[in-house]
Amino acid sequence: GWCLLPQSGYLHPDEFFQAPEVMAGDILNLQVYYPWEFLSSSPCRTVVFPLITSGVTYWVIKSLQQLDICSSCINSYTLLVSPRLLFTIFSFILDYSVYRLAPFWGADPWKALVLLAGSYVTLVFYTRTFTNTLEGLLFALLMVLVSSRKSSGCLAEPTSSSLIGVITTAGFFNRPTFLAFALMPLFYWAGLIVDSQKSIKTLINHFLKFILCACFTAFVFMTADTFYFTSVSLDNLYSTNKTSLIDVIIQLHDKMVVTPFNFISYNLNPHNLALHGSHPRVTHFTVNGVMLFGILHILAIAAGFKMLKKYVHQLMLLRWCYRGPPGLLLHSEGSPTLLLFYFVPLAFLSLFSHQEPRFLIPLVLPLVLFSASSNRAVKWKLLIVLFNLLGALLFGCLHQGGLIPCLFHLEQLIHSPASSSHSQHYTLLFAHTYMPPRSLLNIKKTDVHVEVIDMAGAAEETLCQTVEQQASKFICSDCHIFIIIPGTVRATITKCGVSFKNETLIFPHLSMEDPPQIPVLSSGNWRSQLGLYILELNRDH
């Protein structure tokens, strides 16, 4: 229901620019902004997952409109909600995984499901079009495959080597960081195989299945990406009759695109990471984990230190008795292994200087299973409910919450009957907001009457210069210039020497980059501080 409402909060530009924006340009032929990762000069993202998620939903609404089943299927609402709805449906993979895994890890299934369903991470992040969301779902499926049990209760012989190979490779192509999440499940799976197999031939057979399926999956992804990113060159290959199929295959091999390696190469450069923001290495542990999971993260840290202390104590005691170090068995069931499933990926992701909260959302699964075992979360029930209500309100509604309704409003204005009856030109200048997804304006690539200018967090002087330049071009009677800016920096525009004939305030909108001042919030001007302004420039001034 909240997905269909829809959620107005805007979490991060990547929720649009890693799939929906690109597919809207390719499939619906809309004016969009292609991020650098999807340019043929620097392909760092696989096109397979955007195609089978946002691409499929856009193809469906395009087909419905072409068949006259729905005359206006393509609009800002359907462009936003249809991919989100698919991800929301996919998110129930997480519920299924928790229900299947809870008995295996000694947790109560219904308590675990309540923790999962009540988490704002599930309600907000897992209903958005992030690659991190897909990463979390693939991680959940991987955990289900490696945590198999016979009906009698004993551990089952691993039989899903092929599927594990497919999911691991698919996760790697979706986000190479998936290997950090897959590491412990794969070690656990390998331990089960070694323990359950007495024949070396059967053992080798399992690993061969894994490797062969992983290689086949990688080949499928590489072929799809190569066709997508080198499509122009491939058209040229077929332009002459002299080009044989063998020549095409050879040239295709030479042009093979391997997006994860490009992604890794880019991110191993500290200078590149610094462009996206550098954070202390402990940010995931001390800030992001708490921001996403609240008290559950703190309880896991406390349990982790307790487990480590116990292990070190046993190590010292056994060494003192000359019996050798104790083994921390990966295939032992219960809390120690779940903590490893949680903290090992956290530690690997902490090696990189760029650390955003959404990178940790796949960890909701092991954390929920851990917290639901031994009734750890029961005494913190009220705090957990309040924390997740606050998180859902902040990130689902308030955070950059005016930008999506603003684009809805502008799309209706641009496509209104008055605008359609005679040609009008619109200039939309966005300042101090997240990057606006152009696709939500629903403008065809052939249309040239709408210009979008993204000023990001431009300084006052630069902003005023741009506004003045646009005002100087304001000579036609059918030209309209709109400036979209948060209420917290509304005063900046008044210093630019221009006036406005129309002001529209969209509420609520919280900009953490330009946060409202507490004294101002306590005054009568609080609504303006928590709003986004659409200002139409006055032509006569």
Side-chain angles (χ1 to χ4, degrees):
W2 200 15
C3 169
L4 295 172
L5 193 58
Q7 289 185 24
S8 59
Y10 184 170
L11 298 175
H12 190 279
D14 281 356
E15 70 174 285
F16 293 101
F17 294 93
Q18 285 183 356
E21 185 84 351
V22 176
M23 291 298 104
D26 291 344
I27 293 174
L28 302 178
N29 200 35
L30 298 181
Q31 285 187 27
V32 298
Y33 176 83
Y34 284 95
W36 63 271
E37 298 104 317
F38 284 94
L39 300 178
S40 57
S41 57
S42 56
C44 288
R45 299 280 181 191
T46 182
V47 75
V48 174
F49 283 109
L51 275 172
I52 62 178
T53 53
S54 300
V56 167
T57 59
Y58 288 162
W59 178 82
V60 168
I61 60 175
K62 179 182 179 181
S63 300
L64 290 174
Q65 183 156 307
Q66 288 177 339
L67 294 170
D68 287 332
I69 296 174
C70 174
S71 59
S72 58
C73 275
I74 302 174
N75 54 62
S76 57
Y77 175 80
T78 57
L79 289 168
L80 174 74
V81 169
S82 57
R84 284 187 179 182
L85 184 59
L86 185 64
F87 272 71
T88 302
I89 294 168
F90 283 167
S91 72
F92 285 96
I93 293 172
L94 209 58
D95 299 67
Y96 167 78
S97 301
V98 166
Y99 187 74
R100 279 284 307 273
L101 290 168
F104 183 88
W105 295 104
D108 182 89
W110 294 107
K111 288 179 181 176
L113 282 170
V114 168
L115 275 177
L116 177 73
S119 170
Y120 86 87
V121 172
T122 308
L123 293 170
V124 178
F125 284 88
Y126 273 90
T127 59
R128 303 298 182 91
T129 49
F130 283 118
T131 55
N132 309 90
T133 304
L134 291 172
E135 187 174 43
L137 299 177
L138 291 169
F139 178 52
L141 290 174
L142 187 60
M143 282 194 65
V144 169
L145 290 174
V146 303
S147 306
S148 55
R149 182 195 289 272
K150 290 181 181 177
S151 57
S152 60
C154 59
L155 292 177
E157 179 182 318
T159 56
S160 40
S161 309
S162 303
L163 279 175
I164 290 172
V166 170
I167 287 175
T168 303
T169 308
F172 176 66
F173 271 82
N174 175 56
R175 287 184 67 85
T177 53
F178 183 75
L179 293 184
F181 297 97
L183 183 64
M184 290 311 300
L186 289 178
F187 272 137
Y188 183 86
W189 168 73
L192 285 179
I193 290 178
V194 171
D195 285 350
S196 63
Q197 303 299 332
K198 296 178 181 178
S199 167
I200 189 69
K201 183 180 177 181
T202 313
L203 191 68
I204 292 172
N205 186 42
H206 274 293
F207 288 112
L208 274 178
K209 282 182 181 178
F210 173 85
I211 292 168
L212 287 173
C213 288
C215 290
F216 176 76
T217 306
F219 176 76
V220 171
F221 274 85
M222 288 189 294
T223 303
D225 291 338
T226 301
F227 272 101
Y228 179 80
F229 288 109
T230 62
S231 57
V232 176
S233 300
L234 287 171
D235 289 340
N236 293 336
L237 288 176
Y238 288 102
S239 60
T240 61
N241 295 326
K242 296 180 180 179
T243 304
S244 67
L245 180 60
I246 295 176
D247 292 332
V248 171
I249 294 172
I250 291 172
Q251 292 188 48
L252 180 61
H253 176 268
D254 293 338
K255 298 174 183 294
M256 190 65 78
V257 174
V258 188
T259 52
F261 292 157
N262 296 337
F263 179 95
I264 293 169
S265 176
Y266 178 87
N267 284 280
L268 286 178
N269 187 334
H271 175 70
N272 291 336
L273 286 181
L275 296 175
H276 301 275
S278 293
H279 309 93
R281 294 295 196 276
V282 295
T283 302
H284 279 326
F285 275 100
T286 57
V287 179
N288 295 341
V290 178
M291 187 187 300
L292 289 175
F293 309 121
I295 190 66
L296 299 185
H297 177 72
I298 297 170
L299 292 175
I301 290 177
F305 275 117
K306 187 177 179 181
M307 184 188 77
L308 192 61
K309 182 181 176 182
K310 182 179 179 181
Y311 178 74
V312 171
H313 177 72
Q314 289 177 350
L315 179 66
M316 294 175 64
L317 182 64
L318 292 175
R319 280 191 173 178
W320 182 72
C321 296
Y322 300 101
R323 295 181 183 176
L328 191 64
L329 298 179
L330 282 179
H331 55 274
S332 63
E333 297 178 37
S335 299
T337 309
L338 282 175
L339 284 174
L340 288 174
F341 280 23
Y342 182 74
F343 283 114
V344 168
L346 196 59
F348 270 101
L349 293 174
S350 297
L351 296 176
F352 298 93
S353 60
H354 181 57
Q355 301 186 14
E356 295 181 27
R358 63 193 170 93
F359 296 167
L360 302 183
I361 65 171
L363 296 178
V364 69
L365 178 62
L367 185 61
V368 159
L369 292 172
F370 171 77
S371 303
S373 60
S374 305
N375 291 323
R376 288 183 179 87
V378 172
K379 67 172 77 173
W380 304 99
K381 187 187 299 183
L382 181 61
L383 181 60
I384 291 170
V385 170
L386 292 175
F387 170 79
N388 285 296
L389 281 173
L390 181 63
L393 175 66
L394 177 60
F395 292 104
C397 299
L398 296 178
H399 188 258
Q400 293 284 327
L403 191 54
I404 302 303
C406 164
L407 291 169
F408 281 17
H409 174 81
L410 292 172
E411 189 247 2
Q412 291 177 356
L413 182 68
I414 292 167
H415 296 282
S416 64
S419 299
S420 303
S421 59
H422 58 283
S423 179
Q424 301 195 41
H425 186 274
Y426 294 89
T427 300
L428 311 176
L429 192 151
F430 293 83
H432 292 263
T433 68
Y434 275 3
M435 189 186 300
R438 276 75 160 172
S439 59
L440 296 187
L441 293 171
N442 191 22
I443 306 162
K444 293 293 183 181
K445 288 180 179 178
T446 52
D447 294 341
V448 294
H449 69 288
V450 179
E451 179 185 10
V452 177
I453 303 172
D454 182 16
M455 296 293 294
E460 180 181 322
E461 183 180 353
T462 306
L463 181 58
C464 283
Q465 285 178 355
T466 306
V467 170
E468 289 166 7
Q469 287 173 4
Q470 294 301 318
S472 65
K473 301 175 187 176
F474 202 4
I475 51 176
C476 67
S477 58
D478 293 324
C479 293
H480 304 272
I481 299 177
F482 293 92
I483 300 171
I484 297 91
I485 194 165
T488 48
V489 287
R490 167 72 175 81
T492 302
I493 292 295
T494 61
K495 302 175 184 177
C496 295
V498 293
S499 65
F500 305 98
K501 65 177 181 179
N502 286 316
E503 291 190 8
T504 303
L505 177 65
I506 295 179
F507 177 87
H509 179 90
L510 176 62
S511 172
M512 301 305 291
E513 288 73 25
D514 301 286
Q517 300 297 318
I518 300 299
V520 180
L521 282 179
S522 60
S523 68
N525 199 30
W526 64 272
R527 189 177 174 86
S528 171
Q529 290 286 298
L530 288 175
L532 183 71
Y533 278 95
I534 304 175
L535 308 172
E536 185 176 2
L537 203 65
N538 189 350
R539 181 174 176 270
D540 299 327
H541 184 71

